[in-house]
Amino acid sequence: MNDSRFQSDEWKIIETRFEPERGRDSESIFALGNGMMGQRANFEETYSGDSLQGTYVAGVYYPDKTVVGWWKNGYPEYFAKVPNALSWTGIEVKIDGETLDLARCEVKEFRRELDMREGLLTRTFTAVMPSGRRVNVTARRFLSMSDPECAAISYSVAITGGSGQLQFTPWLNGDVYNEDANYGEKFWENEMAECEGARAVVVAQTRKTGFVVATAMENNLTVNGWAATVTPVLKAGKMTAHCTYTCEYSQGDIFELRKYVAVLSSMNHPAENIGHQAMRAAGEAAQTGFEAMLQSHREAWSARWEHGDIVIKGDIEAQQGIRFNIFQLNQTYTGEDPRLNIGPKGFTGEKYGGSTYWDTEAFAFPFYLSTADTHVARNLLLYRYKHLEKAIENAGKLGFTGGAALYPMVTMNGEECHNEWEITFEEIHRNGAIAYAIYNYVRHTGDHDYLAGYGLEVLIAISRFWAQRCNWSDEKKKYVILGVTGPNEYENNVNNNWYTNMLARWTLRYTASSLESLRTTSPVKYNGIVTRTRLSPEKEISNWNEIVQNIYLPAHHDLGIFLQQDGFMDKVQQTAADLDPAERPLNQHWSWDRILRSVFIKQADVLQGIYLFEDEFDEETIRRNFDFYESRCVHESSLSPSIHAVIAASLHDTDRAYTLYLRTARLDLDDYNREVKDGLHITSMAGTWLSIVEGFGGMRIRNDRVCFNPVMPVAWKSYSFIIRFRNNPMRVEVNGSEINVVNLSQSEIPLAVYGESVTLKAGEEMKFGKK
Ligand code: BGC
């Protein structure tokens, strides 16, 4: 039974009621994006009710000056925020002088539909205005996936009864602000606003960072399908532009306003002439027309679904949930520009400032690696490669030397933005996730050249950091890493976080072995790297090897588990099942002090390490750790359940995996955390994909082979997913009795199902019995 606010549908999200009190929630759910820009689903017509206006342009940020109580040396001066940019969806509608505003109308019918197959948002409503006029509206809009600087809106109005005057005023408004601004400052200043013929443009510049964004529109109006004969009046203000059409209406007339928009940023165009260029682009969009633009946009979406869809049979809510997640991930990042990345909320809200977190490498990276062309994941790696100098500078500010790099916890341009010491300085495991993504990319794509070209420079710099960040303990006769915060942020400043120490050891080992294999296979490239990074192999690599051999990894031998950190067993040992449900989530009911001292874990920590390094442990060890830590985990980060689901599935505990999967699958659609109003959990959506592909599908890359160990949730009849291995697409379908694998590419794919190795020829299909 569906108790969601949204109707069950395999491809659509459908809302059938106008619920002003949930307006912000729906603005997040129905948000649109195309990798270059995005926006919340604000209404086109005037709306005086509660709303969070949100339009965002990828890569454009404002350095909002830091607010902090006690300033610590090493803190960044600012937190980069993607500013709420010029709002371009607006179309004011006046009927006989009365403004159409749903907050003041009696809304008789209301339907909003997001078609995820096509990337099209449609809203229809019938409203009775205070004067009694009844009006029917259909609004359709999309942000083009095929021409990502352009968007279009079709807005149709029919008025029932009588005749009179109808006025449409499509507008652009750059006089916007962020709700999340530390000092209530405006982030934009005016450059110019201008009208020329049927077009208008507003050009604004971000304060301090000087990004210039030009937003232009061209509109056209039809009445009953014929071009309207009215001449619009265009007017430019300081940060605004308006274009007013005044017409006469009679009963039965249908007016359709089409608004074509182009958004150009100085990231991609010279700033000098950007306003005129934007006007030209809006004009070209108008020439192409709404239907033709929509057709190319549909085709672009269809190509994405063709190579990244997941089909679940027997559970329509699960199907809708996973498609929603895949849709949002593709709206957020398309991978064409290595300067861009994935904010935890994408383009759907202001929280997290649109900046980059470890979420990208730890959660989102595998999704793009498996569902998009190789260059997309490569661009995510290049983003960090380009920030290497800044990461070295960042480590320098904290006292590290000799080319050691500490990548920021939160960043837009490579500089650290985060300013809580226990995270900024201590949550250093992020460095490990960045190193691991390089390994993941190479084993998945087979692009070993990436290491010699770029990857090793990053690995060396991160290894230098780990080598300096640990110290020899005379007491333990081991290398230790002190004063860190693991992924479990419900605990700070701990010593020897097992996950962090494992990552440090792994990075040092991987860097040393990758250098060694390059030295033997390609001495010239090896020498090039040694010179570029001023590496001293005798001194540095042997030091890394020494740390690898002797790093301390806390464990409890009687329980047969790894210890999250030193002293973990001193805590009062309880499980989440002991908690009073009325006290959850803990972060809303307990003091921070009580949380820090408790045994409760926010998100996978030891288990995050087991997820990454599972091949190093036997099944019993994994099971013991899983049972111990999962029972203490309160999953108060949306990133948590998916990693647990993957491990549970690998332990053939399909029911537990399914229960955990359910916590992420429809997190936003059903608003489990009561915070969807702030935006969607984009990076955790990738976790849901992981739960299915790596969890139920058991996909792993081992020894140059793509391996599957599928399990089947009882609630489903079958599921299938399309992934790429070595850039070759394949479809894997699992039902109650068999696994069907189809090679959709023109090349051979080395494969293993339940440990049976085969080579799948181009276009070949093979079936395996389900275990
Ligand atoms: C999580 C972090 C994550 C951040 C952004 C926090 O709640 O604990 O691991 O990086 O959210 O998603």
Side-chain angles (χ1 to χ4, degrees):
M1 157 82 200
N2 177 13
D3 50 10
S4 169
R5 278 178 69 216
F6 305 106
Q7 281 187 3
S8 300
D9 191 286
E10 291 188 356
W11 280 106
K12 292 178 178 168
I13 309 298
I14 304 167
E15 179 185 46
T16 51
R17 270 182 304 163
F18 175 59
E19 293 179 277
E21 62 292 350
R22 305 204 66 170
R24 286 186 183 227
D25 300 358
S26 294
E27 285 173 349
S28 302
I29 296 282
F30 292 96
L32 292 180
N34 63 10
M36 285 275 260
M37 57 174 159
Q39 58 180 210
R40 291 169 59 80
N42 306 128
F43 294 163
E44 287 87 359
E45 70 281 352
T46 304
Y47 186 63
S48 59
D50 183 43
S51 160
L52 174 64
Q53 290 293 311
T55 310
Y56 312 98
V57 182
V60 171
Y61 66 90
Y62 176 82
D64 201 18
K65 200 167 164 314
T66 294
V67 180
V68 55
W70 176 9
W71 185 268
K72 317 273 189 312
N73 273 347
Y75 268 176
E77 302 283 333
Y78 70 91
F79 195 111
K81 290 180 179 159
V82 173
N84 180 22
L86 178 140
S87 168
W88 53 257
T89 46
I91 299 172
E92 187 193 57
V93 179
K94 275 191 177 170
I95 305 170
D96 301 317
E98 187 183 20
T99 303
L100 175 63
D101 172 357
L102 288 192
R104 295 175 192 278
C105 293
E106 192 190 335
V107 180
K108 293 285 192 194
E109 275 167 46
F110 182 91
R111 185 180 172 94
R112 187 155 30 182
E113 198 176 286
L114 175 64
D115 185 331
M116 300 182 283
R117 197 195 316 240
E118 307 195 330
L120 179 67
L121 179 62
T122 305
R123 190 167 55 104
T124 51
F125 61 82
T126 302
V128 179
M129 298 173 69
S131 60
R133 279 179 201 82
R134 196 181 173 98
V135 49
N136 297 311
V137 170
T138 300
R140 295 187 296 154
R141 75 187 195 224
F142 61 92
L143 271 56
S144 175
M145 267 294 202
S146 48
D147 185 358
E149 292 182 323
C150 289
I153 304 174
S154 148
Y155 193 89
S156 306
V157 175
I159 301 148
T160 320
S163 58
Q165 193 187 66
L166 172 64
Q167 221 172 49
F168 286 102
T169 307
W171 48 260
L172 304 173
N173 179 15
D175 189 18
V176 288
Y177 61 91
N178 273 50
E179 280 194 359
D180 173 28
N182 287 342
Y183 294 90
E185 282 174 279
K186 288 246 168 120
F187 295 170
W188 294 96
E189 55 199 25
N190 180 38
E191 275 281 296
M192 71 137 176
E194 211 177 279
C195 304
E196 197 183 277
R199 301 171 189 167
V201 68
V202 177
V203 183
Q205 183 170 28
T206 54
R207 295 191 171 151
K208 298 183 190 166
T209 37
F211 290 102
V212 180
V213 174
T215 309
M217 64 174 172
E218 180 167 327
N219 304 283
N220 63 51
L221 183 68
T222 57
V223 188
N224 303 323
W226 299 93
T229 47
V230 283
T231 312
V233 179
L234 279 97
K235 217 169 74 195
K238 192 163 173 254
M239 294 275 261
T240 56
H242 294 84
C243 168
T244 302
Y245 294 83
T246 307
C247 351
E248 301 304 317
Y249 73 86
S250 340
Q251 161 75 18
D253 284 344
I254 298 177
F255 293 82
E256 184 186 0
L257 182 95
R258 290 184 170 184
K259 183 171 182 180
Y260 299 93
V261 174
V263 182
L264 270 54
S265 107
S266 57
M267 293 215 13
N268 304 307
H269 301 272
E272 299 76 57
N273 198 27
I274 199 165
H276 290 107
Q277 255 188 290
M279 282 207 262
R280 209 169 316 128
E284 280 164 16
Q287 279 290 313
T288 307
F290 188 89
E291 296 305 335
M293 272 178 81
L294 179 57
Q295 190 49 31
S296 332
H297 169 72
R298 275 192 191 115
E299 284 160 17
W301 267 112
S302 149
R304 276 170 205 277
W305 286 115
E306 202 181 314
H307 288 141
D309 193 15
I310 291 185
V311 176
I312 298 171
K313 298 235 166 89
D315 184 345
I316 194 164
E317 269 81 46
Q319 177 66 82
Q320 187 180 38
I322 188 61
R323 286 218 171 105
F324 183 64
N325 293 358
I326 295 172
F327 177 72
Q328 294 298 345
L329 286 161
N330 281 314
Q331 290 208 113
T332 306
Y333 185 74
T334 52
E336 301 309 321
D337 184 343
R339 295 167 303 172
L340 303 181
N341 209 279
I342 305 148
K345 298 262 172 220
F347 297 118
T348 67
E350 295 179 3
K351 208 173 165 199
Y352 298 117
S355 301
T356 308
Y357 285 65
W358 75 301
D359 302 33
T360 293
E361 284 79 11
F363 298 89
F365 190 72
F367 168 81
Y368 296 100
L369 190 55
S370 288
T371 61
D373 185 84
T374 303
H375 77 273
V376 171
R378 196 171 202 266
N379 276 343
L380 283 173
L381 296 185
L382 285 174
Y383 175 89
R384 297 292 192 178
Y385 176 76
K386 286 170 186 293
H387 291 176
L388 180 56
E389 278 309 307
K390 293 257 194 288
I392 292 174
E393 247 173 62
N394 186 37
K397 283 185 197 153
L398 307 186
F400 297 88
T401 55
L406 175 60
Y407 277 92
M409 187 66 199
V410 178
T411 194
M412 194 57 85
N413 68 350
E415 285 165 14
E416 178 63 88
C417 289
H418 201 280
N419 53 32
E420 282 166 72
W421 64 271
E422 62 277 28
I423 291 180
T424 312
F425 305 143
E426 296 208 329
E427 213 174 320
I428 52 177
H429 64 78
R430 64 211 188 224
N431 244 12
I434 290 164
Y436 193 89
I438 297 174
Y439 160 72
N440 212 1
Y441 169 81
V442 173
R443 73 173 166 169
H444 205 293
T445 62
D447 177 9
H448 289 273
D449 288 347
Y450 184 80
L451 278 175
Y454 308 93
L456 270 165
E457 282 176 59
V458 171
L459 289 168
I460 289 169
I462 293 178
S463 292
R464 284 171 164 162
F465 172 81
W466 289 128
Q468 291 173 42
R469 187 62 169 74
C470 65
N471 65 276
W472 177 255
S473 156
D474 275 338
E475 168 79 15
K476 289 195 162 66
K477 304 279 181 266
K478 289 276 183 192
Y479 287 95
V480 292
I481 303 184
L482 307 179
V484 304
T485 296
N488 169 33
E489 291 172 346
Y490 284 0
E491 189 103 47
N492 305 137
N493 202 33
V494 300
N495 294 336
N496 294 311
N497 171 250
W498 182 82
Y499 173 69
T500 306
N501 289 18
M502 278 291 285
L503 269 177
R505 182 177 79 165
W506 175 87
T507 313
L508 295 171
R509 199 163 49 197
Y510 180 58
T511 310
S513 68
S514 304
L515 278 166
E516 180 53 22
S517 86
L518 190 67
R519 193 178 67 79
T520 47
T521 55
S522 187
V524 176
K525 286 185 182 163
Y526 172 82
N527 288 332
I529 287 174
V530 169
T531 314
R532 275 208 303 282
T533 58
R534 300 208 178 95
L535 183 76
S536 155
E538 306 76 46
K539 238 175 71 202
E540 290 188 90
I541 301 180
S542 55
N543 180 35
W544 299 346
N545 288 332
E546 153 78 12
I547 297 169
V548 167
Q549 297 305 319
N550 293 298
I551 195 161
Y552 178 64
L553 293 165
H556 190 290
H557 295 290
D558 293 345
L559 293 176
I561 56 164
F562 306 114
L563 275 188
Q564 190 172 281
Q565 72 252 357
D566 286 353
F568 188 78
M569 294 310 291
D570 293 337
K571 288 167 178 280
V572 176
Q573 294 298 321
Q574 284 177 290
T575 66
D578 301 326
L579 286 165
D580 177 353
E583 297 195 348
R584 297 181 69 174
L586 297 183
N587 62 25
Q588 285 171 26
H589 295 90
W590 284 15
S591 71
W592 191 242
D593 154 74
R594 189 172 172 199
I595 289 178
L596 289 177
R597 283 184 287 111
S598 85
V599 78
F600 297 111
I601 303 167
K602 182 182 183 192
Q603 67 199 86
D605 193 305
V606 166
L607 295 178
Q608 188 81 28
I610 291 207
Y611 164 71
L612 293 184
F613 305 118
E614 87 182 332
D615 289 348
E616 299 187 23
F617 314 111
D618 60 47
E619 193 173 316
E620 272 320 299
T621 307
I622 298 178
R623 189 183 306 281
R624 279 193 303 274
N625 280 281
F626 182 78
D627 289 344
F628 184 85
Y629 286 108
E630 201 281 325
S631 62
R632 285 156 178 76
C633 185
V634 287
H635 300 292
E636 289 182 13
S637 159
S638 65
L639 299 172
S640 183
S642 54
I643 296 302
H644 289 83
V646 174
I647 300 176
S650 76
L651 294 169
H652 309 285
D653 192 344
T654 315
D655 290 344
R656 194 126 68 128
Y658 185 67
T659 308
L660 288 157
Y661 154 84
L662 287 179
R663 296 177 74 143
T664 65
R666 295 176 59 94
L667 175 77
D668 288 321
L669 278 180
D670 295 339
D671 197 13
Y672 298 150
N673 290 358
R674 298 274 164 265
E675 58 181 14
V676 75
K677 60 182 186 320
D678 296 333
L680 304 176
H681 295 83
I682 299 294
T683 46
S684 96
M685 290 180 169
T688 315
W689 180 92
L690 287 176
S691 314
I692 296 181
V693 176
E694 295 187 3
F696 304 137
M699 185 189 92
R700 303 287 186 275
I701 309 299
R702 289 194 180 109
N703 305 323
D704 293 318
R705 213 164 260 287
V706 57
C707 312
F708 301 97
N709 280 294
V711 296
M712 183 76 200
V714 283
W716 298 353
K717 284 204 179 76
S718 71
Y719 63 96
S720 70
F721 49 83
I722 300 174
I723 52 139
R724 289 168 187 238
F725 176 59
R726 307 277 144 105
N727 226 9
N728 297 318
M730 62 198 292
R731 192 178 60 240
V732 179
E733 189 179 337
V734 182
N735 62 36
S737 56
E738 61 185 21
I739 323 298
N740 188 14
V741 188
V742 188
N743 183 346
L744 303 171
S745 80
Q746 300 307 314
S747 313
E748 290 187 339
I749 299 183
L751 165 87
V753 177
Y754 296 126
E756 184 192 335
S757 296
V758 288
T759 300
L760 209 57
K761 296 199 195 69
E764 197 184 355
E765 178 169 348
M766 240 185 234
K767 291 191 193 312
F768 302 83
K770 163 97 182 32
K771 287 198 181 153

